[in-house]
Structures are given as structure tokens and as C-alpha cells.
Amino acid sequence: MRISRWLADRWVMGAALLVLGYLSLPILVVAGLSFNRPASRLSYDFNEFTLDNWKQPCATSDMCDAVIRSMEIGLIATVAATILGTLMAFALVRHGFKGRAGINGLIFLPMATPELVMGTSLLALFVAAGVPQGFWTIVIAHVMFCVSFVVVTVKARLAGMDRRLEEAAMDLYASEWQTFRRITLPLVLPGIVAAALLSFSLSFDDFIITNFNAGTTVTFPMYVWGAAQRGIPPQVNVIGTAMFVIALLLVGASSLRGRRARRAALAAPVAPARTAKSGS
């Protein structure tokens, strides 16, 4: 009876762990192959353990150039999309205006539109406007579809906030700017950081939309696609594993910072009351 009750209480957690393990299998395979010395260029079986791939992560100068270019595009697109998306999320959640329902619907269009359709549409737009395809057309395209994910992520964070914390701060004679800087921003910051990480991942990983609007510019996904025809170098697995580890560390740091910010925000309105009592 105790065993059956224990299983009944924890079967959901067990199922969730199995699903997470299944989703993590490709990542574990990529991490394992980053330590592999393949038998041939077209072989993807684990042949021999080696650290040479990590000691020399750049298989060729073309691959390193493609990685740096993808990171540059991802950083620019992430900063632009995060700023625009955060401002839009605040406007949609905190303010009422005509057309807000329609804008909420338009925000989901880039997320629901197939990438093939979006890529060809942007290509037709750039060609009609006479804009040469290259680095900046990729950035514009990435900002376009990343904004929607930022708005949705930050909106969810704002919707889950307790407005009474801001009201308590303003009741204690805090100005609107002080309330935003000390209460609102620390509480929203984990959502903004999560949206930025998601935007960078989507931008760094995108292939279809980038392929239509890249011109002669080669990003890391396009390099991998081209290298697949003649054999993907094992250093590609090193880049993928390193990006995953960095993202994992950033998410963990953001979660810890968010917990500390929530504790500080919850304790902030109480401090003046304790001071007043001690003074009396």
C-alpha cells in the first residue's frame, strides 16, 4: 500500500523526467560525438575518444568565420528584439488603447507563419525595395520573428506579477521611477533575460529564413548544411555542446538572480514599517 501510494503521488514527476530524458538524448549524442575521432569524413559512429576537437575547435577558418558571423547577427537581433518586445509587452499589459486586441493577434502571426512563407515573403520585399541581400537583411528578418517571442515571454511575466508590490512601494512615497527601478524591473528581469536567451537561440539556429535572405553571407547553420554534403567536421559538435553549456549556465544564473530579486522585492515594503515601529 505504501509503495502504491508513493507511486501514485509521484507518477507525474516520473513521467516528466522520462520526457525530459528523451528530449535530452540528441544533446547527449552531440556532446558525446564532440569527443570522437571519426573513422572517415562521412562516418558518424563513435570510433575513438579524443580531446583534439576541443583543443582545436576551429576545423577551418570558414567555420570560425561562420560562427562569429552568426553570433554577431544573434547579438544585434537579440538586443533590438528584446528592447522592442519589452516595450510592446508593457504597453499591451499595462495600458488600454484602441486596437489592442488586433495587435495581440498580429503578434502571433510571425510565430504561426511557416518559415518558408516568411522567408520568401521577406525576399520578395527586399527585392522589390532594391535592398541587397546580406548581413543586414538577415538581421532585419531575425528581429522580425524574434520580437513576437519576446512579447509573449515578457507578457507572461508581467501577467504573473503582483501589482500590490508596486502599489505598496508608491504608498511608501516612492516615485514612479524608483518603483520601476527597485520593484518592477527586478521582478520582470528574469522574463526579459529568458526572452533574450530565446531570441538569441532562435537567431543563431535559424536556417530557412536566413537562407532566403543571406545573399553571399554564410552563417553557421548554412555552413553545416553545406558541409553535410562532404562530411561534417566533428568540431561542429564542439560548437553545439559549448553553446548548450553556456545557455544552461546563463539560465541558472538568471534563475538565482530572479529568486534573490523576488525576495528583496517582498522584503522592501516591510522595512519602513519596522523602522517606524522602532522609532515610536
Side-chain angles (χ1 to χ4, degrees):
M1 291 296 294
R2 292 182 178 179
I3 296 176
S4 61
R5 184 178 299 176
W6 186 87
L7 292 175
D9 293 338
R10 292 169 176 79
W11 71 271
V12 175
M13 180 63 69
L17 292 176
L18 289 176
V19 173
L20 289 176
Y22 174 74
L23 294 176
S24 301
L25 281 178
I27 300 174
L28 295 177
V29 171
V30 169
L33 290 177
S34 66
F35 298 97
N36 179 39
R37 178 182 285 117
S40 63
R41 294 179 62 88
L42 298 176
S43 175
Y44 299 100
D45 297 330
F46 194 88
N47 179 50
E48 182 182 353
F49 180 85
T50 181
L51 294 175
D52 294 341
N53 300 329
W54 285 89
K55 294 178 181 178
Q56 300 176 351
C58 292
T60 61
S61 59
D62 295 339
M63 191 186 80
C64 283
D65 293 340
V67 173
I68 295 173
R69 196 171 297 114
S70 292
M71 294 184 68
E72 292 175 348
I73 294 172
L75 289 174
I76 297 173
T78 297
V79 171
T82 302
I83 294 174
L84 294 174
T86 302
L87 294 176
M88 292 174 63
F90 270 94
L92 291 171
V93 174
R94 295 296 180 85
H95 301 281
F97 53 89
K98 293 183 179 180
R100 186 173 66 170
I103 294 177
N104 278 320
L106 289 175
I107 288 172
F108 284 95
L109 284 181
M111 301 173 62
T113 304
E115 291 190 352
L116 184 64
V117 176
M118 187 179 298
T120 53
S121 301
L122 287 170
L123 175 61
L125 176 63
F126 291 137
V127 171
V131 179
Q133 285 77 45
F135 183 90
W136 290 107
T137 54
I138 299 175
V139 172
I140 294 172
H142 287 194
V143 171
M144 178 180 169
F145 65 78
C146 286
V147 165
S148 298
F149 291 93
V150 174
V151 173
V152 172
T153 305
V154 178
K155 274 183 61 180
R157 182 63 181 171
L158 286 171
M161 280 182 52
D162 190 355
R163 294 294 300 273
R164 293 176 296 181
L165 296 174
E166 297 172 295
E167 295 172 356
M170 299 186 73
D171 287 341
L172 295 171
Y173 303 103
S175 63
E176 292 184 359
W177 169 246
Q178 289 175 331
T179 302
F180 176 79
R181 185 168 61 90
R182 294 179 178 272
I183 303 298
T184 308
L185 184 59
L187 291 175
V188 181
L189 190 59
I192 297 176
V193 173
L197 291 175
L198 179 61
S199 298
F200 183 82
S201 299
L202 293 172
S203 175
F204 188 87
D205 185 61
D206 183 75
F207 172 76
I208 298 177
I209 298 176
T210 303
N211 192 34
F212 277 103
N213 301 277
T216 59
T217 304
V218 178
T219 61
F220 182 62
M222 296 176 64
Y223 172 84
V224 174
W225 176 74
Q229 303 176 6
R230 57 184 183 275
I232 299 177
Q235 285 80 1
V236 171
N237 301 315
V238 174
I239 300 298
T241 304
M243 294 296 296
F244 174 76
V245 172
I246 293 172
L248 195 63
L249 293 176
L250 289 176
V251 170
S254 176
S255 299
L256 292 176
R257 183 181 179 87
R259 290 182 181 179
R260 293 176 181 176
R262 285 192 295 270
R263 292 175 182 175
L266 291 173
V270 182
R274 291 178 178 174
T275 305
K277 289 181 179 180
S278 60
S280 61

